[in-house]
Amino acid sequence: MGKKKILIVEDEQKIARFLQLELEYEGYEVEIASNGRDGFEKGKSPSVDLIILDLMLPALSGIEVCRRLRQTSNVPIIMLTAKDDISDKVTGLDIGADDYMTKPFAVEELLARIRVLLKRNNSRNKPEDILNIGDLTLSKSNYKVEYKGENIELTKKEFQLLEYLMRNKNIVLSREKILDKVWGYDFYGDTNIIDVYIRYIRSKIDQKYNINLIETVRGVGYIIRE
Ligand code: CA
């Protein structure tokens, strides 16, 4: 296994440089982005294993970077907050950051948290995290879906819906059940939303590759058959 790659998104050069030296000393490969937009672009790369994300950034705020990355990626994110701002932390954790550190912080503590997150992410790489239906592969730990090795870009919800259908292959799933399991408590509308998302997935998979992956069970819901 090669070096783990850590992306530092931080506009304060002194801090970024200091972190880079510390992390490289610990054996990590380091990349730096000095504004939010650059951070988002670099953070999308599957080669990044963990992101240290400052919240106060030019071009795109750290919160926004995190929100956008979480649409397609579950890469571990540690936020850096300049002050002890509770609302920033809550927002950050709500939108999917894994941890936060308040500046100034002890670098040993940051290193410890990085180790924990990388280890946690590693242990997710178990065989049951990979689902297969025919030529379609879904890898939960990498947030990746591939058809014959070709990457398919799905939003977070599309991914979750597809994962649920694949995990329950050969079972007819009612709209109500899908709504409950995939959308859960944070949903207020009706079950039509599922049809909308099924259409999105079909346009990205069924239609694109000319296969019949998701079947409609009239009046009930949907099924993926092996
Ligand atoms: Ca900053």
Side-chain angles (χ1 to χ4, degrees):
M1 192 122 103
K3 282 185 177 181
K4 292 282 183 189
K5 185 167 172 181
I6 297 180
L7 172 66
I8 300 169
V9 189
E10 166 65 272
D11 58 316
E12 284 161 81
Q13 269 187 32
K14 260 168 70 178
I15 296 179
R17 183 75 188 132
F18 166 72
L19 285 177
Q20 179 178 20
L21 291 174
E22 291 285 343
L23 291 170
E24 283 175 353
Y25 181 77
E26 294 293 318
Y28 298 110
E29 190 185 335
V30 175
E31 190 169 22
I32 293 179
S34 55
N35 66 59
R37 204 168 300 280
D38 192 27
F40 173 62
E41 288 306 322
K42 288 179 174 157
K44 282 193 294 190
S45 164
S47 68
V48 170
D49 295 295
L50 183 141
I51 299 175
I52 298 170
L53 178 64
D54 187 33
L55 285 193
M56 301 282 279
L57 291 168
L60 203 61
S61 78
I63 292 284
E64 197 50 38
V65 173
C66 183
R67 196 195 311 275
R68 291 188 191 185
L69 284 173
R70 278 291 175 264
Q71 304 278 318
T72 55
S73 161
N74 69 347
V75 62
I77 297 176
I78 300 176
M79 299 182 297
L80 301 182
T81 60
K83 51 190 182 313
D84 214 4
D85 188 329
I86 298 291
S87 76
D88 269 358
K89 285 173 199 165
V90 171
T91 309
L93 295 174
D94 269 354
I95 59 171
D98 298 276
D99 205 348
Y100 64 82
M101 305 263 331
T102 303
K103 291 184 197 172
F105 51 83
V107 73
E108 290 74 18
E109 193 180 346
L110 177 65
L111 292 171
R113 294 188 188 194
I114 288 171
R115 282 193 294 272
V116 168
L117 284 174
L118 287 175
K119 202 168 156 194
R120 191 202 290 172
N121 221 42
N122 244 357
S123 64
R124 284 189 201 148
N125 280 319
K126 289 184 183 143
E128 65 261 35
D129 273 346
I130 309 250
L131 304 174
N132 285 297
I133 304 274
D135 291 319
L136 188 74
T137 304
L138 179 147
S139 165
K140 188 173 169 61
S141 50
N142 305 325
Y143 245 85
K144 260 190 129 163
V145 178
E146 291 180 339
Y147 185 77
K148 290 187 176 168
E150 196 175 313
N151 192 42
I152 299 169
E153 298 264 347
L154 297 181
T155 64
K156 189 173 173 187
K157 230 7 144 201
E158 291 163 2
F159 184 93
Q160 290 170 342
L161 173 56
L162 180 64
E163 183 197 348
Y164 182 63
L165 290 168
M166 286 176 78
R167 247 180 229 294
N168 295 282
K169 66 185 177 190
N170 302 321
I171 300 171
V172 177
L173 300 163
S174 70
R175 287 186 178 76
E176 289 71 24
K177 188 154 187 189
I178 295 171
L179 195 65
D180 183 46
K181 296 292 180 193
V182 179
W183 272 264
Y185 65 92
D186 60 357
F187 185 74
Y188 309 99
D190 66 31
T191 58
N192 288 341
I193 186 87
I194 294 162
D195 305 324
V196 173
Y197 275 85
I198 292 283
R199 262 207 306 280
Y200 292 157
I201 295 176
R202 278 178 172 159
S203 75
K204 290 180 179 179
I205 301 175
D206 297 42
Q207 281 152 31
K208 183 163 183 209
Y209 298 104
N210 200 20
I211 56 173
N212 190 14
L213 176 71
I214 303 173
E215 286 177 42
T216 303
V217 183
R218 211 170 289 277
V220 183
Y222 297 96
I223 183 172
I224 288 183
R225 290 185 211 273
E226 177 86 90

